Amino acid sequence: MQPKIGVTIGGFEFETCIFNASGPKDETLPLLERIAKSKASAITMKSCTLEPRVGNPEPRYVDLPGKSSINSMGLPNLGYKEYIKFAKTLKKKYKKPVIASICGMSLQDNVTMFQAFNNSAADIIEFNPGSPNTIGKPIVGYDIGEMDRSLAKLTKICKKPLGVKLPPYFDFVHFEGMAKVLQKYPVEYVSCINAIGNALVIDPKKEQPVIKPKGGFGGLGGRFIKYTALANVRKFYELVGNRIKIVGVGGIFTGVDVFEFILAGATAVQLGTVYMQEGPKCFARIQMELVSYMKKRGYDSLEDFRGKLKTLD
Ligand code: SIN
């Protein structure tokens, strides 16, 4: 018998626990249709803003050795009205959950977009207060008071299951502060983690940063962030996992990586850098690797090991 790797999020059936993270190659309808036709179990759209954005100057994404990446894309997107149209097309053509991702430049922008997506074909709304790449804007997810005010307002408006994509936290005090806020609101899942913000990669031959925006400062993704992502999944699973699902994202390249994230407490995982580097076939490959590793370990379903990270005695 094949191990079961399907999950339910917000009342929607996901055929597997593996789908795409908002961000890489998901800005346009043709790109979203590539995801729809792949083995990704859902289609997460690019984080959108009220108005279209061209994003930051290029070069703004660079692959790094060791299956990692740095980017400061600056939220290039077509504006939320296009993603409302895309959700309708995607729902009509494909039988997969569609996730809208919202990253407004202000709370009022977010309110407007949440209201609009309530009446859209998108199944789930993911609020993205964790982007490190908007020039002149702080990472909202690091301001616990602002997160409280935002969630108070947005959860009142939101009529769809709500996900929140969090930036990485590094200190237990911050995990606990954020967890306290999350506990107050009807949040379906948190996605841990967005890129580790404001890293600097230098090309020693050119004596320059490798990306142009923000003097070379950008979000680190891929393998370099896997262990921080695992720690965030584990901590939020311990703090809010009784009520809020955890979706793991950061440095997942193999089925064994997925296994580790589920063991730490994740319900599902999203793929970012690996999708950017390998393209849509990564979903089928990683799914097969997960199934084969579960068989090897004698597990029939994700529930057999989710969150059951053992301690060292
Ligand atoms: C970007 O477009 O800058 C990436 C979005 C994000 O960091 O959430």
Side-chain angles (χ1 to χ4, degrees), residues 46-47 71-76 128 131-133 194:
K46 176 74 184 170
S47 291
N71 87 85
S72 181
M73 301 299 290
L75 294 166
N128 176 11
S131 176
N133 295 337
N194 206 316

Side-chain angles (χ1 to χ4, degrees), residues 51-163:
E51 301 299 334
R53 284 171 61 87
V54 292
N56 291 341
E58 310 226 18
R60 58 192 185 183
Y61 174 93
V62 170
D63 284 324
L64 301 176
K67 298 188 170 177
S68 296
S69 63
I70 184 167
N71 87 85
S72 181
M73 301 299 290
L75 294 166
N77 77 93
L78 304 172
Y80 77 103
K81 287 182 184 157
E82 288 302 301
Y83 296 96
I84 286 178
K85 288 187 211 154
F86 295 168
K88 190 172 173 194
T89 307
L90 293 168
K91 281 310 287 182
K92 220 189 228 164
K93 286 178 74 175
Y94 306 95
K95 307 239 161 320
K96 288 183 182 183
V98 171
I99 303 173
S101 173
I102 292 181
C103 186
M105 294 294 120
S106 68
L107 183 51
Q108 187 47 51
D109 285 6
N110 287 325
V111 167
T112 305
M113 289 189 279
F114 267 80
Q115 281 165 337
F117 274 104
N118 274 341
N119 302 312
S120 77
D123 299 306
I124 293 172
I125 302 180
E126 192 173 284
F127 172 44
N128 176 11
S131 176
N133 295 337
T134 321
I135 293 168
K137 291 268 171 199
I139 299 172
V140 178
Y142 286 146
D143 182 337
I144 304 287
E146 186 56 27
M147 283 298 287
D148 198 357
R149 283 187 288 282
S150 295
L151 289 176
K153 190 116 191 176
L154 298 176
T155 52
K156 261 201 200 114
I157 295 164
C158 187
K159 295 198 176 81
K160 309 233 178 205
L162 173 69

